[in-house]
Amino acid sequence: ILQGRFGRVALLDMDAPLVAHAHRHCHILLKAGGADSAFRVRGERAPLTDDSAVLVNAWEPHAYEHPVATGERTLIVALYIEPGWLAELQRSLSLSGHPRFFRQPCIRVTSNTQRMIEEFILELWWADEISSFRLEDLLFNLIISVVESYTGWRDLVSHLRSRPPVA
């Protein structure tokens, strides 16, 4: 686990389901290795595969499912992102703490994002020491790669005006 101004990054080695829970951070879940698995977000199944990532809004309940054979494991890179840190780097991303920042709980991972995930994991796994600047740079670029195409963060204000609050 790494912690910093950015929030927290954890490499999770999962072999069993995890009960529904929530975090104050927005949450990006990326498959790092092992078997495909899934999360339950907004009452729907969100697959976690080499080609998909799971996106969870701040305070949004989610649960890990482990729909694979006993003994099979899934390695997950879990990003718990601090909205204040994102806002410092890109002001419009301060909305990442909003409960509707991510419009959908599962996205397709582009080949460019997959390369960034691999670079991030390799840097964490093999580097004897990683500078905080390098870590934050890799992390920010990875987050932007995921967020850019899928959240509508650039027009979130108009999105919020067009939809009533969730009860």
Side-chain angles (χ1 to χ4, degrees), residues 22-51:
H23 310 277
R24 72 178 186 88
H25 301 94
C26 67
H27 199 23
I28 298 175
L29 299 149
L30 307 162
K31 182 180 164 195
D36 290 348
S37 61
F39 282 78
R40 181 133 322 256
V41 183
R42 296 180 208 159
E44 67 181 77
R45 188 172 190 275
L48 183 64
T49 68
D50 293 332
D51 300 324

Side-chain angles (χ1 to χ4, degrees), residues 70-135:
T70 303
E72 287 192 64
R73 305 177 93 73
T74 302
L75 291 174
I76 301 170
V77 173
L79 309 178
Y80 306 84
I81 305 160
E82 184 63 55
W85 173 73
L86 278 179
E88 284 177 27
L89 299 173
Q90 179 108 14
R91 185 181 164 115
S92 56
L93 288 174
S94 63
L95 297 170
S96 65
H98 191 278
R100 286 186 290 192
F101 181 66
F102 294 129
R103 292 184 180 178
Q104 57 197 52
C106 186
I107 58 152
R108 182 160 256 354
V109 173
T110 66
S111 58
N112 184 51
T113 300
Q114 186 60 43
R115 281 191 298 278
M116 295 174 112
I117 293 167
E118 290 168 5
E119 180 182 9
F120 185 74
I121 292 167
L122 286 172
E123 191 78 31
L124 292 177
W125 193 262
W126 294 109
D128 290 336
E129 189 174 307
I130 183 170
S131 74
S132 60
F133 177 78
R134 172 77 174 142
L135 174 64

